[in-house]
Amino acid sequence: MGQLLEHALMVPPLRRGVDVDAWVALDLMRSVRAAFVEHDWAETTAGVAEGGTWILAVRGRAYRVQTDFGALRYHRGDYAVGSGSDWAEGSLHTTRDLDWTVDQRVTAALEAAAHCSTTVQGPFDLITQERT
């Protein structure tokens, strides 16, 4: 999925004066759906295309993209996807007010998910990208 998004997605321009949330929900998700369908990534049932669940970051905002291409923006700021996401989000919630680094919180969340779910397993690699 990541390579498809990187190489096949035609990102529409964010027009001046358009709200970022509206652009993501209307313009970007339309383009994502089209790329998924065109490159046989989406599953289509009864004419309805579905993709995967993933996290998207745009201009300092994070969204959880659902299989129906809905982009949800949580105001609490903690995101996780996959089979261990409930346990990871619980861990992120309980460590929010601790004096831990982001890497410490994410590692604890991954370890909680691995402990509670048979489909999550380490080792885990954390990759950080500086904001541009």
Side-chain angles (χ1 to χ4, degrees):
M1 176 191 313
Q3 290 175 328
L4 175 66
L5 292 169
E6 180 181 1
H7 299 293
L9 177 62
M10 300 298 290
V11 178
L14 175 55
R15 297 175 313 279
R16 177 172 278 163
V18 173
D19 178 69
V20 174
D21 292 340
W23 176 80
V24 167
L26 301 174
D27 299 339
L28 183 60
M29 287 302 105
R30 181 182 305 118
S31 294
V32 169
R33 181 185 291 111
F36 278 33
V37 169
E38 178 182 348
H39 294 279
D40 296 322
W41 180 265
E43 291 187 28
T44 304
T45 306
V48 177
E50 291 188 345
T53 303
W54 42 286
I55 298 171
L56 167 71
V58 177
R59 297 207 173 170
R61 299 177 184 191
Y63 303 84
R64 180 178 176 152
V65 179
Q66 303 293 103
T67 58
D68 66 355
F69 300 100
L72 307 177
R73 185 166 163 234
Y74 298 158
H75 293 285
R76 68 177 188 260
D78 298 330
Y79 293 86
V81 294
S83 58
S85 63
D86 290 341
W87 293 286
E89 285 180 347
S91 175
L92 290 169
H93 174 75
T94 61
T95 59
R96 170 177 285 152
D97 295 326
L98 299 179
D99 189 27
W100 288 11
T101 66
V102 170
D103 285 0
Q104 289 172 315
R105 291 184 65 217
V106 170
T107 298
L110 291 167
E111 289 172 351
H115 177 77
C116 296
S117 174
T118 59
T119 58
V120 179
Q121 177 179 329
F124 304 108
D125 295 314
L126 303 183
I127 300 170
T128 303
Q129 179 178 349
E130 295 299 318
R131 202 180 223 182
T132 57

